[in-house]
């Protein structure tokens, strides 16, 4: 397909300005799943002479991220992956994953299912201490999951209920109908059992959530945890991980110091410093050695790939990203009352009449040249995907869902047939009732590629006669707050999702009751398919799950709560003075206690 002249002119202008950037945006940052992280049982070697090139104790490395963390450093409440850049080094889960996405031990040394797969019992590592010296026990595991399941968690801003909804007695406990929490039980200090209402095909994924300390949070009401010192303040944030969060200059610099009593082994590095810097200067800082690595969530710019590859002192990691970028289409809005109270009740939602017609949403999809965006802004380092499931998963269906190739003529034809025509000659279409039809398009700052994509998407949609009001971008923290609830005039929005690597189940993002279902897509049939894919005994058959998820992906692409724009390649880089780096499919931050520097 030929790109139209307006698109070419705009793309040439962007190229001349040199502002192309690699995307992912808040991809990891908006991650709805907790990436388990973790490590193997390998112990670091003893300190050696630097001349040998063997691991040695000491040193500091500096990482770069292009947006400041929002400020919530608590796994159960954090909102963006810039915050996750801190928590990933501080907190751990019972299990981790290897390069094949198989679950491996972390805080738990072993586990066993009962015969009907309704119970999962973990044996915990003994001798693990929290970073303040208190012992880690099964009670901490119970407390973490009890908090996720408690009444008031969602109202306080919690969005990670997908880890607990399958636990025994969840509905009764979360609604306040009972005070008894049956889902996770401490058998003794080092044995904990997860009990599920039904045989659970995602049990290990559900049990992979990062654990928080009971002794720190037990006396803090759930409503106050997001604003409590141990959630916000360096020195008060306590985990079991290899590094402590000790200092910050908010919005500029965040310092992690090694936990010398880390249960696997004392980390080699003394500290890790995070600097918040503009994407445009990251490559220069890598070249001069002022920063040592750039990875999650945005990596470095695709436009700079050849420049980075030519740097003798820098190593590149390129692999498919575990997420995607999207343009959401608001099908419904929450009421102001529900938004204020944090209530997610699809029965109360108000239809967004501007995007209520499915054929209009489909026409919008045909009007977007997604491959053109990849070629122009990502320099080809990405791919168009047509389903909201990571391509690395067996469940991804790249064939059956509607592909929506770029076809502006078809988009115009569909809009005409739907009654959206230009009746007053101003170049923009009115709605089927002959009234002005303007779609608001919102996007956050911080990710330069997404910022540059927004006016290009605006132009593409206006080329088929859709009047787009491209609104001023907001800082991501404010953007996320509005997107969560107070968005009654939103129509289109740009966002990136990082996906958890534990299981392809997309319920946490797209089920009608999911907190992250920002488009407020409400389709009981689609919800039922998501439930079927997790309902035993059939769900233990991967072929069955594959077919159910295929059916769901076809439905998703027909109804289009969002157009998946693309999945980019992750482009991470690190100075070769930093050794011990082992990238996993979803993150570079694996076994950081084994990182060391050679000078």
């Amino acid at each position: 397909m030929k790109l139209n002249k307006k698109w070419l002119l705009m793309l040439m202008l962007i190229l001349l300005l040199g502002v192309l950037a690699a995307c992912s945006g808040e991809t990891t940052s908006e991650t709805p799943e907790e990436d388990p992280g973790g490590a193997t049982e390998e112990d670091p070697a003893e300190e050696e002479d630097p001349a040998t090139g063997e691991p040695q104790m000491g040193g500091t490395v500096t990482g770069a991220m292009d947006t400041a963390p929002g400020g919530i450093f608590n796994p159960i409440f954090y909102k963006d992956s810039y915050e996750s850049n801190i928590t990933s080094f501080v907190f751990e889960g019972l299990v981790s994953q290897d390069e094949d996405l198989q679950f491996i031990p972390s805080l738990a040394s072993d586990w066993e299912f009962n015969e009907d797969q309704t119970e999962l019992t973990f044996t915990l590592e003994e001798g693990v201490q929290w970073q303040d010296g208190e012992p880690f026990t099964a009670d901490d595991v119970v407390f973490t999951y009890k908090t996720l399941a408690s009444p008031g968690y969602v109202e306080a801003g919690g969005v990670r209920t997908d880890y607990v909804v399958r636990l025994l007695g969840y509905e009764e406990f979360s609604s306040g109908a009972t005070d008894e929490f049956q889902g996770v039980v401490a058998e003794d200090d080092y044995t904990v059992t997860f009990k599920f209402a039904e045989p659970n095909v995602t049990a290990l994924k559900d049990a992979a959530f990062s654990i928080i300390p009971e002794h720190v949070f037990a006396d803090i009401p759930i409503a106050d945890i997001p604003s409590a010192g141990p959630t916000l303040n360096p020195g008060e944030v306590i985990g079991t991980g290899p590094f402590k969060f000790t200092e910050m200059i908010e919005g500029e610099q965040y310092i992690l110091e090694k936990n010398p009593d880390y249960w696997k082994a004392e980390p080699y590095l003394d500290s890790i410093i995070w600097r918040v810097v503009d994407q445009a200067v990251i490559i220069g800082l890598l070249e001069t050695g002022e920063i040592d690595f750039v990875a999650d969530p945005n990596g470095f710019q695709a436009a700079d790939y050849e420049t980075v590859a030519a740097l003798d002192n820098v190593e590149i990691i390129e692999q498919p990203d575990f997420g995607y970028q999207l343009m959401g289409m608001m099908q419904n809005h929450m009421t102001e009352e529900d938004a204020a109270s944090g209530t997610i009740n699809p029965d109360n939602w108000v239809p967004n009449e501007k995007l209520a017609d499915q054929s209009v949403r489909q026409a919008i999809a045909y009007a977007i040249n997604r491959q053109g965006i990849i070629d122009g802004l990502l320099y080809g380092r990405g791919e168009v995907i047509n389903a909201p499931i990571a391509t690395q998963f067996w469940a991804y269906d790249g064939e059956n869902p509607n592909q929506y190739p770029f076809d502006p003529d078809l988009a115009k034809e569909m809009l005409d047939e739907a009654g959206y025509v230009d009746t007053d000659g101003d170049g923009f279409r009115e709605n089927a009732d002959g009234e002005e039809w303007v779609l608001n398009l919102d996007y956050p700052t911080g990710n330069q590629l997404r910022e540059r994509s927004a006016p290009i998407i605006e132009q593409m949609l206006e080329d088929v006669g859709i009047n787009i009001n491209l609104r001023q971008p907001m800082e991501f923290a404010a953007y996320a707050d509005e997107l969560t609830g107070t968005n009654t005039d939103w129509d289109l929005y740009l966002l990136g999702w990082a996906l958890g690597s534990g299981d392809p189940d997309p319920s946490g993002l797209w089920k009608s009751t999911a907190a992250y279902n920002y488009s407020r897509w409400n389709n009981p049939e689609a919800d039922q398919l998501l439930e079927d894919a997790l309902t035993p005994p059939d769900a233990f058959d991967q072929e069955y799950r594959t077919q159910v998820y295929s059916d769901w992906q076809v439905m998703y692409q027909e109804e289009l709560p969002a157009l998946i724009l693309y999945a980019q390649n992750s482009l991470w880089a690190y100075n070769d003075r930093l050794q011990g780096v082992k990238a996993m499919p979803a993150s570079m931050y694996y076994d950081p206690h084994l990182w060391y520097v050679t000078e």
Side-chain angles (χ1 to χ4, degrees), residues 250-498:
E250 191 167 3
E252 298 180 19
Q253 183 169 281
Y254 300 78
I255 298 177
L256 300 164
E257 295 182 359
K258 77 174 178 181
N259 173 14
D261 300 317
Y262 183 50
W263 61 279
K264 290 186 176 180
E266 180 181 355
Y268 292 126
L269 293 175
D270 290 332
S271 60
I272 297 172
I273 297 174
W274 283 103
R275 287 178 57 190
V276 179
V277 299
D278 191 277
Q279 278 187 350
V281 303
I282 284 177
I283 303 309
L285 296 176
L286 269 174
E287 183 175 12
T288 61
E290 293 179 67
I291 61 172
D292 294 292
F293 67 94
V294 57
D296 297 335
N298 297 328
F300 64 87
Q301 303 175 25
D304 289 326
Y305 185 91
E306 297 303 326
T307 300
V308 177
L311 297 177
D312 293 335
N313 64 322
V314 173
E315 301 290 335
I316 291 176
I317 298 171
E318 180 176 11
Q319 59 187 23
D321 190 68
F322 233 96
Y324 51 79
Q325 293 288 318
L326 62 83
M327 182 180 71
M329 305 192 206
M330 288 283 186
Q331 295 191 10
N332 296 284
H333 292 116
M334 296 175 68
T335 63
E336 293 183 3
E337 293 77 15
D338 282 358
S341 65
T343 300
I344 300 175
N345 185 353
D347 292 338
N348 294 342
W349 292 350
V350 179
N352 180 11
E353 297 299 336
K354 290 194 285 183
L355 288 171
D357 190 326
Q358 178 174 296
S359 64
V360 168
R361 299 194 299 272
Q362 293 176 344
I364 288 172
Y366 283 116
I368 304 297
N369 188 350
R370 294 181 287 165
Q371 188 61 51
I373 293 174
I374 292 171
D375 292 341
L377 301 186
L378 286 178
Y379 286 73
R381 297 187 180 277
E383 63 178 317
V384 171
I385 65 172
N386 290 290
I389 291 177
T391 58
Q392 297 94 321
F393 279 128
W394 46 265
Y396 175 74
D397 187 342
E399 298 180 3
N400 292 303
N402 195 325
Q403 304 293 294
Y404 294 108
F406 178 50
D407 194 337
D409 290 335
L410 178 57
K412 293 175 183 177
E413 180 182 328
M414 294 180 69
L415 290 168
D416 288 343
E417 291 177 354
Y420 287 72
V421 296
D422 180 11
T423 59
D424 59 9
D426 66 351
F428 294 119
R429 299 171 183 271
E430 280 66 50
N431 67 17
D433 295 323
E435 301 168 338
E436 183 182 51
W437 183 49
V438 180
L439 299 181
N440 296 317
L441 173 57
D442 290 272
Y443 64 103
T445 60
N447 177 284
Q448 291 187 22
L449 178 61
R450 191 155 50 210
E451 291 182 41
R452 304 304 170 181
S453 297
I456 293 173
I457 291 172
E458 174 194 24
Q459 184 63 60
M460 289 175 176
L461 294 177
E462 292 193 343
D463 283 347
V464 299
I466 301 174
N467 194 351
I468 299 296
N469 176 25
L470 183 62
R471 298 202 281 199
Q472 288 296 313
M474 292 179 277
E475 291 186 359
F476 187 77
Y479 185 81
D481 286 342
E482 286 214 21
L483 193 53
T484 301
T486 56
N487 53 33
T488 55
D489 65 345
W490 285 38
D491 302 308
L492 307 174
Y493 61 92
L494 301 185
L495 197 65
W497 283 127

Side-chain angles (χ1 to χ4, degrees), residues 27-145:
T27 330
T28 332
S29 78
E30 297 111 21
T31 176
E33 306 268 5
E34 180 79 357
D35 290 331
T40 66
E41 294 301 315
E42 180 181 358
D43 289 327
E46 295 298 320
E47 182 176 350
E48 300 285 346
D49 188 317
T52 68
E54 294 297 318
Q56 57 181 307
M57 289 289 183
T60 295
V61 296
T62 300
M65 49 183 163
D66 56 39
T67 298
I72 303 294
F73 306 108
N74 184 326
I76 68 173
F77 280 110
Y78 85 98
K79 293 184 178 180
D80 63 62
S81 64
Y82 303 105
E83 295 162 333
S84 182
N85 277 342
I86 308 299
T87 60
S88 294
F89 292 85
V90 177
F91 295 93
E92 300 172 300
L94 299 184
V95 294
S96 177
Q97 285 179 284
D98 63 17
E99 57 270 22
D100 298 317
L101 301 181
Q102 298 298 309
F103 287 100
I104 58 176
S106 186
L107 289 175
S109 60
D110 197 9
W111 56 86
E112 182 179 5
F113 283 93
N114 68 347
E115 186 172 343
D116 67 358
Q117 304 280 311
T118 58
E119 294 186 2
L120 174 58
T121 299
F122 289 92
T123 301
L124 305 184
E125 289 281 356
E126 298 189 26
V128 177
Q129 292 184 347
W130 293 99
Q131 292 168 350
D132 60 1
E134 291 294 316
F136 162 77
T137 71
D139 290 335
D140 296 304
V141 181
V142 173
F143 175 78
T144 299
Y145 279 83

